[in-house]
Amino acid sequence: MVRIASVDTFVLRAKIDVPVRTSFGTMGDRPAVVLRLRDADGAEGWGEVWCNFPGCGAEHRGRLVATVLAPLLIGRKVEDPALEWRRLTDATRILALQSGEAGPFAQAIAGIDIALWDLAARRAGLPLWRLLDGGTEHDADGGVPVYASGINPEGAERLVGTKLDEGYRAFKLKVGFGEESDQRSLRGLRALLGSETALMVDANQGWTVEQALAVLPLLRPFDLDWLEEPLAVDAPAADWARLAEAFPIPLAAGENLRGEAAFDAAIDGGALSVVQPDVAKWGGVSGCFAVARRALTAGRVYCPHYLGGGIGLAASAHLLAAAGGDGLLEIDANANPLQGGLWPAMPELDDGRLMLPELPGLGVEPDAQTLQRHRVA
């Protein structure tokens, strides 16, 4: 049991030369909301809150942590991070409903949960994946296969060529920018990669079911490993089922689902082959590890979604290492000073695989200069 003595919030923004594009919007910089928890003995735990959208999202979520959640946590004796995640969720449920901000509250609590698990694993002297796995789930060794993500249509071949040299062996392209653009990008990448390299696409909720069905014949020749978020997260289950029946390509989603009931329904519905909860967006380690085990038990593939700074990326890697299965760790291929700057000990890849070091907790010690240089609030 630990008593939480302080919660420090860092709102960061890093300038980038090339914006990150999706079918619904563009990121002109790279934001992050970073949390540092200290207990009464001075031990630390680090967490990260999802804040990519809208453009003002990082500052807002930082204030939610500092003004609403930190006062609920400071001075508390915490025995189990999962129980504390549940308590904070329950304690703010009505406020989240009243303000219409269930998503931002879930994201802020997820960041706190990550930090609590980091703190717990550090105090246990274990890497987080070992603490979660407990040596009983599977033959975990701390290694996870990865893929390069967030690949824009412009300059896709150049970026993928660079990532091949860095050791990546699987890639995910952003689509939903029109038939001509999507086809051009896919032709170029498949020609570069050959027929054996894994290639996925992400439409970022960009299509209706009719549009997705019309796109199917255009995607079929590229031998894709999955199609991610072809529909909006709130599209009727019947639409997802219709796509799954028509598509020979596995469907993937989950980053925009929120709550155990939503994930249970998605897994039980059978349309999704690949389940992708985001550790910094809902659930933290507590919620996402439970979803991962649920998905694997149901015969689905668990692939943690992530597109942010280095702390959430480390948490995603530990979750996948602990859960096992055939999933891949998503690593943003775009320039982001807050990736390596927040996870300086991030290992280099070896033939498409990342091996987590035997460091306690998440193994992250954010660079002090990164925190100072990019802090905006």
Side-chain angles (χ1 to χ4, degrees):
M1 181 178 293
V2 299
R3 184 170 65 81
I4 304 302
S6 65
V7 179
D8 297 317
T9 309
F10 303 82
V11 178
L12 311 175
R13 289 193 178 275
K15 295 180 180 179
I16 52 175
D17 294 328
V18 180
V20 180
R21 293 179 60 199
T22 72
S23 60
F24 64 84
T26 299
M27 294 171 61
D29 60 19
R30 302 309 300 263
V33 175
V34 172
L35 310 180
R36 179 177 61 200
L37 273 56
R38 285 198 175 105
D39 68 12
D41 297 325
E44 294 182 347
W46 292 88
E48 185 172 347
V49 177
W50 185 91
C51 62
N52 289 345
F53 294 98
C56 61
E59 288 78 3
H60 173 55
R61 287 158 179 80
R63 292 188 182 105
L64 277 182
V65 173
T67 63
V68 179
L69 295 167
L72 296 176
L73 192 61
I74 294 172
R76 283 277 301 174
K77 291 182 178 179
V78 177
E79 183 172 0
D80 181 346
L83 293 178
E84 192 63 17
W85 167 67
R86 183 77 60 189
R87 186 190 76 86
L88 289 172
T89 300
D90 291 344
T92 57
R93 174 177 173 270
I94 299 303
L95 180 57
L97 290 172
Q98 181 71 25
S99 58
E101 297 213 283
F105 270 89
Q107 294 149 16
I109 294 170
I112 289 173
D113 182 82
I114 295 169
L116 287 172
W117 276 104
D118 183 32
L119 175 60
R122 287 178 188 233
R123 290 185 65 96
L126 294 171
L128 178 58
W129 68 266
R130 286 197 185 277
L131 183 67
L132 292 172
D133 172 66
T136 60
E137 293 295 325
H138 61 97
D139 251 351
D141 63 1
V144 292
V146 308
Y147 71 95
S149 175
I151 298 168
N152 292 341
E154 295 83 5
E157 293 170 54
R158 181 176 63 252
L159 179 57
V160 168
T162 299
K163 294 300 170 180
L164 279 168
D165 291 340
E166 292 177 8
Y168 287 86
R169 298 295 179 262
F171 303 88
K172 188 173 75 182
L173 173 73
K174 296 284 189 184
V175 295
F177 301 101
E179 177 182 328
E180 182 178 345
S181 173
D182 293 348
Q183 289 281 295
R184 183 171 57 249
S185 299
L186 282 167
R187 281 195 299 270
L189 288 186
R190 190 43 92 193
L192 172 66
L193 297 172
S195 60
E196 299 301 316
T197 301
L199 179 62
M200 297 78 77
V201 293
D202 185 355
N204 287 116
Q205 308 184 83
W207 299 322
T208 65
V209 65
E210 289 79 13
Q211 289 171 328
L213 288 168
V215 167
L216 171 58
L218 305 178
L219 297 179
R220 193 190 299 266
F222 296 104
D223 192 23
L224 301 172
D225 285 66
W226 75 63
L227 167 62
E228 187 169 327
E229 284 200 320
L231 306 179
V233 67
D234 61 354
D239 287 354
W240 283 95
R242 186 178 168 196
L243 276 191
E245 184 177 354
F247 266 62
I249 305 166
L251 298 182
E255 66 179 277
N256 290 306
L257 291 174
R258 187 175 64 249
E260 293 109 323
F263 277 102
D264 284 347
I267 293 169
D268 292 339
L272 295 185
S273 298
V274 182
V275 180
Q276 303 170 302
D278 188 311
V279 68
K281 203 166 191 179
W282 170 84
V285 173
S286 298
C288 288
F289 191 52
V291 167
R293 291 192 292 189
R294 172 87 167 79
L296 292 170
T297 299
R300 308 295 187 268
V301 176
Y302 163 61
C303 285
H305 175 273
Y306 194 69
L307 202 80
I311 296 171
L313 178 59
S316 301
H318 281 266
L319 278 167
L320 184 57
D326 298 323
L328 303 170
L329 175 67
E330 179 172 21
I331 301 182
D332 184 6
N334 298 287
N336 185 358
L338 303 182
Q339 188 180 92
L342 296 179
W343 190 12
M346 179 179 173
E348 293 185 3
L349 301 187
D350 182 7
D351 196 25
R353 190 173 171 85
L354 180 149
M355 183 64 67
L356 289 167
E358 290 285 343
L359 297 172
L362 293 173
V364 299
E365 293 294 342
D367 174 60
Q369 289 188 348
T370 296
L371 293 175
Q372 182 178 6
R373 183 185 308 121
H374 299 294
R375 192 172 190 178
V376 295

